Amino acid sequence: MKGVLAYVNPKGQTGFTPDPVAVLKNPPHPQAAQAYARFLLSVEGQAIWGLQVGKPGGPTRKALNRIPIRKDFYTKYEADLPPWLQNPFAEGVGMQVDSRIREVRYGVLAQLVRAAAIENLDMMKKARQVLKQNPDNQTLRQLFYALPENMDAEDDVFTVAEGLKDKVQADKILSGWIEFFRTNYKQIVNR
């Protein structure tokens, strides 16, 4: 085995989105619905959500691979946590979200995805197939995952966002990105 793929939550930069549960208004069996919701939110219910098959208290047939939301779950089952599950309460660092850059990035990212994966979908799929056939070729991987020059730094996002507000400039930016990704994908396919 050459290496192991592992998932790491960046400290202070990872948001956790637990799965919600609710009882609908006027259910046919309100007591059963309430009991089910209480069970799901109990330590025992959270164990079924987060532990692997075969672990005491875990699921019996198939792992659900969900992130439990109770602190006491992580204390009780610390030794049995699957490798992918990190205790979000142990991080000790709050996540700071800059709403201004989040809004700006969203608009820019939408156009970048459009250029890379919508306008160039067929060529991107062909390039991805070549990557699958050549998983160790770092040159091809770098080409596939490369970003346009005007997206190299955080400040570039703000500059591009301003340009996207003007129709003529937005067309230039988008057509440049489309061509950038198309060229990279073609280089991969025609290697």
Side-chain angles (χ1 to χ4, degrees):
M1 181 162 60
K2 291 184 179 181
V4 177
L5 178 65
Y7 174 80
V8 176
N9 292 316
K11 288 186 178 183
Q13 297 299 312
T14 303
F16 292 92
T17 54
D19 294 307
V21 61
V23 175
L24 300 176
K25 183 178 181 179
N26 299 322
H29 305 285
Q31 290 81 15
Q34 289 287 341
Y36 180 67
R38 274 193 303 278
F39 172 73
L40 288 178
L41 296 173
S42 70
V43 175
E44 294 76 20
Q46 296 286 289
I48 293 172
W49 285 46
L51 296 177
Q52 297 297 299
V53 173
K55 293 290 181 182
T60 57
R61 288 185 280 161
K62 184 178 178 188
L64 299 178
N65 298 322
R66 311 313 300 165
I67 299 175
I69 61 167
R70 293 182 60 122
K71 278 186 179 183
D72 52 354
F73 163 84
Y74 294 96
T75 303
K76 182 173 182 176
Y77 294 104
E78 184 176 16
D80 294 321
L81 296 179
W84 64 267
L85 182 58
Q86 296 178 16
N87 181 347
F89 301 104
E91 297 283 324
V93 179
M95 186 169 118
Q96 300 297 318
V97 176
D98 182 337
S99 59
R100 180 176 152 257
I101 195 163
R102 184 189 69 204
E103 289 173 23
V104 170
R105 279 186 183 157
Y106 182 81
V108 172
L109 183 60
Q111 295 305 316
L112 193 63
V113 169
R114 176 180 169 198
I118 296 173
E119 299 292 338
N120 284 301
L121 181 62
D122 292 337
M123 189 58 70
M124 183 186 73
K125 286 180 179 180
K126 290 176 186 175
R128 184 73 184 123
Q129 282 304 108
V130 172
L131 282 184
K132 285 181 181 179
Q133 295 164 0
N134 300 280
D136 296 327
N137 189 321
Q138 292 305 313
T139 303
L140 296 180
R141 292 184 69 75
Q142 286 175 349
L143 264 177
F144 188 82
Y145 292 109
L147 291 174
E149 207 173 273
N150 62 352
M151 290 302 296
D152 273 352
E154 185 173 309
D155 291 341
D156 293 337
V157 174
F158 292 105
T159 304
V160 169
E162 282 301 312
L164 290 174
K165 292 177 182 177
D166 175 70
K167 172 109 173 83
V168 173
Q169 189 65 18
D171 287 345
K172 284 182 184 178
I173 292 169
L174 189 58
S175 63
W177 286 352
I178 291 169
E179 185 56 34
F180 171 85
F181 289 112
R182 182 176 296 133
T183 300
N184 285 6
Y185 296 155
K186 281 183 181 178
Q187 285 180 39
I188 294 167
V189 170
N190 298 326
R191 69 188 189 318

